[in-house]
Amino acid sequence: MPLTKLRNIGIAAHIDAGKTTVTERILFYTGATRKMGEVHDGQATMDFMKQEQERGITIASAAISCSWNGSQINIIDTPGHVDFTVEVERSLRVIDGMVAVFCAVGGVEPQSETVWNQADRYHVPRIAFINKMDRTGADFNDVVDQLNKYLDANAVPLHIPIGAEDDFKGLIDVIEGKAYIFQDFERIEADIPEEYVKIAADARNFLIEKIADYDVEILDAFLEDREIPAETLKRVTRMATLKLMITPVLCGAAYKNKGVQLLLDAVVDYLPSPIDVGAVVGLDVDDHEKSHTRSPSPKDPFSALAFKLIHDPYVGQQTFIRVFSGTLKSGMQVWNATKEKSERIGRILRIRAKDREEVHEAGPGDIVALVGMKLTKTGDTLCDYDQRLLLENIHIPPTVIELKVVPAKRKEQTKMGEALGKLANEDPSFNIRYDDETEETIVSGMGELHLEIIMDRLKHEFGVDVEVGEPAVAYRETIHAETVSNYKHSKQTGGKGQYAHTVMRIEPNQGNGYEFVNNIKGGVIPNEFISSVNKGVVKTLNTGVLAGFPIVDVKVVLLDGSHHAVDSSDMAFQTCASICFKNGFMKSEPVLLEPVMKVEVNTPDDYIGNVVGDLNKRRGKIESMRRHRKGSQKLLGFVPLAEMFGYATTLRNISSGRANYSMEFFQYLPVTKSLQEGILKKLDEKRKADQK
């Protein structure tokens, strides 16, 4: 199949907008499945994890291939819940186009904005599908206005709904000038109803005005009042969509099988093929100032990005990759440019949700799973062994919440460690660390639901029962001042001793993570021990100094030191650097950072005072209030995560169950001095109690 006929698309939206139902209908109409699965009864093809079926939500992005009108469509159905935002992030990194699904009642909701901004980051062309037009309160025009107001989408309706709510019968294709009435699984073409003739004509003129800016032929025809063929309108609409100048808007009711075939037509007509996306740019492995391009051609050197790992109980670990250029064959040797090591390709699988089909090769634009990869993780670049390059990695947000876990049976400690390791491999937004002092395993993730799902998988997939502590805030440590630290490590134990001496400057590095600079002159510390100093500091960063939390945003400049010809070693310099850094850190005005969440509350007007008052008590800052629907407000604020535990219950009580909220990570901010003292005191008391 020619590359121009291939579409790699993601389906993304706020939770409950109907993404998975849309995908299920697409699979049915394209013949990929014979029976329509439903989310509410746990039978959706794409929600094949036990945890997804129980909760009726999507957790892991699932990949599936199908065909429509001679084109192949690779679909990635992504989660809508904010705790799984990394799934959306890594999917957007490898897709070419996106269908953004909106609920005709809810409109633009908090996670819709997050997904939209993620798509902006990766410059992904998109079309909007306003779903649930048959629901009470559905308002197509209002959602189009919200797309423009809140997302700056430059939305252009290509469909006009015929009726709404219980009276939603069908829709009008603005470009073709045809009406479609839906009855069960049938789509009946009809003339535009008389009362909609003017509305459809106005919508067509609006589209022409919008795209006339991008095409001289259409502009001339518009000014001369000549009829413009549908094919010309489609061609220019496609071009404007690919350049992110407009967002075509379609509508339907996927659950009632209305509008799905027209959505498929639009995917083929308006979203890009790998050829439209063009060459991918990567950095030179040896010189990051230089870059290389790879065209979507089988003749170009091979390049691909690993974007997801799944542990499959039947075939082992599957590594999902998107091929950007060249041809990949089973048995081939490739270069992992991220790890700087070679990998041999085992089996290549094309995935159809939970089914798989083995193929012997994959080309540009293909999304496939590899079995037998030993080193490759999420975000790694695979490339031609002789022509190497490094592709842009995937943005992973920091974790904000943590739990202490212990196996129910002590003898299962190793089994638990291995299972957690596999889960952390799959999910880069899930981290594990071991506290040597308390001998506890601490896991951290994006939210309570995220960790709940991980614990559930641990029990059902890996057969490990665990006892879980209370959720706690994942603080971070950093510094506000600069200091120079000097430490000499010298131990004599009869045989060979230990000697190392380091002098380092420790300074704040706000927003830039950890940085290590070597300013050693004259070889006072030999080159082979410079990396040992860095290793010693990095180990300390992970375990923290002030209260055992990871350290972020510090710069370490190695200034001076000394060594001993016999007693200096890698371990001596690691130990010395660690103690030197700890001493300096405590003199540099150490401070705790806490995760602050962006919170959005939808509430009826009657309860706005209660909601604002409660958020203020929680150290919240209200950023804005805006009219959401008649009689309701949307409130945006920023609240520390530590104050948000149990908020769902409180909100239900103060609004008689009529308000709802969503929150996502915003940024880490310093806590006040008095608060820090209180947190450290509590942590110290808890640690002493645990040791008893």
Side-chain angles (χ1 to χ4, degrees):
M1 184 180 288
L3 272 178
T4 51
K5 294 281 188 184
L6 179 61
R7 300 287 180 274
N8 284 317
I9 65 161
I11 298 187
H14 185 85
I15 192 166
D16 257 359
K19 299 174 307 303
T20 300
T21 304
V22 169
T23 311
E24 291 297 322
R25 297 306 183 265
I26 286 175
L27 300 182
F28 178 77
Y29 283 113
T30 56
T33 55
R34 291 184 183 168
K35 173 180 171 285
M36 275 188 257
E38 302 299 352
V39 175
H40 58 79
D41 61 15
Q43 296 300 310
T45 308
M46 301 300 271
D47 287 351
F48 54 86
M49 283 169 64
K50 176 181 176 291
Q51 293 79 8
E52 294 177 313
Q53 291 164 357
E54 286 174 351
R55 291 166 177 79
I57 60 169
T58 302
I59 293 164
S61 49
I64 197 160
S65 298
C66 56
S67 301
W68 183 253
N69 287 352
S71 292
Q72 183 186 321
I73 304 173
N74 293 331
I75 303 170
I76 296 178
D77 174 34
T78 62
H81 197 286
V82 69
D83 280 15
F84 309 104
T85 190
V86 73
E87 288 284 343
V88 184
E89 191 77 42
R90 55 186 175 186
S91 301
L92 284 168
R93 175 67 185 84
V94 296
I95 58 178
D96 299 329
M98 182 174 98
V99 176
V101 181
F102 297 89
C103 172
V105 182
V108 174
E109 296 174 279
Q111 187 64 6
S112 319
E113 295 189 42
T114 304
V115 167
W116 199 268
N117 294 335
Q118 287 173 309
D120 280 342
R121 182 188 296 146
Y122 294 116
H123 307 292
V124 177
R126 66 215 79 153
I127 53 182
F129 181 71
I130 299 175
N131 191 27
K132 303 193 179 184
M133 280 301 303
D134 57 333
R135 286 268 300 275
T136 304
D139 190 332
F140 178 79
N141 292 329
D142 184 39
V143 180
V144 172
D145 289 343
Q146 288 184 43
L147 286 170
N148 290 324
K149 189 175 177 184
Y150 303 134
L151 304 180
D152 198 20
N154 202 4
V156 181
L158 301 189
H159 288 172
I160 300 293
I162 300 173
E165 303 181 348
D166 288 341
D167 296 327
F168 178 61
K169 296 182 184 68
L171 50 87
I172 296 161
D173 185 325
V174 170
I175 291 181
E176 298 283 0
K178 292 174 185 171
Y180 294 97
I181 307 299
F182 299 100
Q183 288 176 0
D184 295 325
F185 297 110
E186 276 192 79
R187 175 179 60 162
I188 301 159
E189 195 178 305
D191 292 332
I192 297 172
E194 204 171 312
E195 65 270 32
Y196 283 94
V197 170
K198 185 177 185 313
I199 297 170
D202 289 346
R204 198 171 203 269
N205 285 335
F206 178 73
L207 167 67
I208 291 167
E209 280 177 41
K210 282 283 187 186
I211 63 175
D213 295 343
Y214 315 123
D215 187 85
V216 178
E217 185 186 336
I218 287 185
L219 181 62
D220 289 345
F222 178 61
L223 294 172
E224 293 165 15
D225 208 18
R226 280 190 280 114
E227 182 59 33
I228 303 167
E231 283 310 310
T232 306
L233 285 179
K234 278 187 179 178
R235 176 179 58 77
V236 181
T237 301
R238 175 184 175 79
M239 183 270 292
T241 305
L242 298 188
K243 292 185 175 176
L244 305 184
M245 290 163 173
I246 64 166
T247 304
V249 183
L250 294 81
C251 68
Y255 182 53
K256 296 283 177 64
N257 313 307
K258 296 176 179 178
V260 179
Q261 299 104 315
L262 294 167
L263 172 61
L264 279 163
D265 289 341
V267 165
V268 173
D269 289 343
Y270 305 119
L271 289 181
S273 70
I275 298 289
D276 296 313
V277 175
V280 67
V281 179
L283 299 175
D284 189 283
V285 173
D286 301 315
D287 182 357
H288 285 193
E289 297 298 310
K290 290 183 190 168
S291 61
H292 300 292
T293 57
R294 294 284 184 269
S295 298
S297 160
K299 293 177 182 172
D300 260 38
F302 169 70
S303 68
L305 187 78
F307 69 95
K308 184 176 174 62
L309 267 69
I310 285 181
H311 177 77
D312 187 300
Y314 301 106
V315 295
Q317 184 177 287
Q318 293 179 5
T319 307
F320 280 78
I321 65 163
R322 156 75 196 258
V323 181
F324 288 101
S325 64
T327 304
L328 181 70
K329 296 182 179 177
S330 40
M332 191 168 145
Q333 195 90 5
V334 296
W335 182 252
N336 183 324
T338 313
K339 299 280 192 299
E340 298 190 345
K341 288 185 175 168
S342 67
E343 277 265 49
R344 181 173 290 282
I345 303 301
R347 293 161 65 201
I348 304 173
L349 305 177
R350 197 178 299 288
I351 304 296
R352 301 184 185 278
K354 59 183 171 184
D355 299 320
R356 54 186 86 78
E357 167 200 346
E358 187 159 353
V359 292
H360 297 295
E361 62 175 57
D366 279 342
I367 291 174
V368 291
L370 307 179
V371 178
M373 304 298 277
K374 291 185 171 62
L375 304 164
T376 306
K377 301 281 182 283
T378 296
D380 285 4
T381 300
L382 297 176
C383 60
D384 187 277
Y385 201 83
D386 299 316
Q387 302 203 44
R388 301 171 182 180
L389 88 165
L390 198 58
L391 298 169
E392 181 192 350
N393 207 323
I394 293 165
H395 169 74
I396 308 293
T399 56
V400 294
I401 192 166
E402 57 186 38
L403 292 173
K404 289 179 178 173
V405 293
V406 288
K409 297 173 185 163
R410 197 161 182 81
K411 61 181 182 184
E412 290 197 328
Q413 181 73 43
T414 307
K415 191 178 174 186
M416 182 187 82
E418 287 170 359
L420 287 172
K422 283 176 181 170
L423 290 165
N425 261 349
E426 278 185 28
D427 183 353
S429 64
F430 171 65
N431 295 329
I432 321 157
R433 62 188 173 89
Y434 187 73
D435 189 326
D436 289 319
E437 202 176 313
T438 60
E439 296 186 342
E440 288 173 319
T441 303
I442 297 162
V443 297
S444 55
M446 301 303 297
E448 288 181 78
L449 180 64
H450 185 201
L451 293 181
E452 184 191 317
I453 299 289
I454 295 272
M455 294 304 110
D456 205 34
R457 290 186 64 194
L458 202 58
K459 182 178 180 177
H460 291 105
E461 279 180 41
F462 296 93
V464 181
D465 269 328
V466 292
E467 290 168 5
V468 180
E470 287 293 306
V473 175
Y475 293 99
R476 296 284 184 268
E477 300 176 13
T478 193
I479 51 172
H480 276 169
E482 185 180 301
T483 192
V484 172
S485 182
N486 185 337
Y487 179 73
K488 192 176 282 184
H489 178 69
S490 180
K491 273 191 178 178
Q492 288 297 332
T493 51
K496 187 184 172 185
Q498 282 189 34
Y499 180 88
H501 173 211
T502 55
V503 182
M504 58 179 71
R505 185 171 71 243
I506 301 162
E507 53 190 80
N509 198 28
Q510 198 175 354
N512 294 313
Y514 167 63
E515 208 176 323
F516 179 77
V517 179
N518 173 24
N519 273 358
I520 289 294
K521 302 279 191 300
V524 290
I525 297 177
N527 267 346
E528 67 261 31
F529 296 135
I530 301 296
S531 64
S532 309
V533 173
N534 187 28
K535 269 189 223 164
V537 174
V538 168
K539 274 186 190 169
T540 314
L541 295 181
N542 294 334
T543 54
V545 177
L546 190 61
F549 295 107
I551 294 167
V552 295
D553 295 346
V554 291
K555 184 176 182 179
V556 172
V557 183
L558 186 58
L559 302 170
D560 201 0
S562 60
H563 74 289
H564 186 278
V566 176
D567 292 347
S568 286
S569 66
D570 170 60
M571 191 45 70
F573 268 100
Q574 280 195 47
T575 307
C576 175
S578 177
I579 297 167
C580 186
F581 177 79
K582 282 177 183 174
N583 295 346
F585 186 88
M586 291 307 288
K587 293 175 192 165
S588 304
E589 294 178 26
V591 65
L592 277 184
L593 301 174
E594 65 177 346
V596 173
M597 311 303 280
K598 178 182 170 187
V599 178
E600 203 156 306
V601 185
N602 294 331
T603 174
D605 291 344
D606 299 351
Y607 307 106
I608 193 79
N610 296 350
V611 171
V612 170
D614 181 68
L615 286 176
N616 285 336
K617 275 190 218 159
R618 295 171 184 269
R619 296 192 282 133
K621 288 181 183 166
I622 308 300
E623 180 86 353
S624 66
M625 279 188 250
R626 70 192 193 206
R627 175 79 41 214
H628 179 47
R629 288 244 179 257
K630 194 177 176 184
S632 76
Q633 303 250 13
K634 189 174 271 194
L635 184 148
L636 174 68
F638 299 97
V639 190
L641 176 64
E643 307 291 341
M644 289 301 288
F645 290 112
Y647 182 64
T649 307
T650 306
L651 184 64
R652 204 177 301 127
N653 292 340
I654 62 177
S655 69
S656 304
R658 291 178 62 200
N660 61 64
Y661 83 103
S662 78
M663 68 177 182
E664 63 178 291
F665 172 71
F666 173 57
Q667 68 181 114
Y668 271 93
L669 292 173
V671 300
T672 60
K673 198 166 186 184
S674 60
L675 203 61
Q676 179 165 313
E677 284 168 8
I679 293 166
L680 293 176
K681 189 179 174 187
K682 266 189 201 167
L683 287 166
D684 194 44
E685 286 167 2
K686 194 169 184 310
R687 199 164 277 149
K688 283 174 183 168
D690 289 344
Q691 283 170 348
K692 283 179 186 174

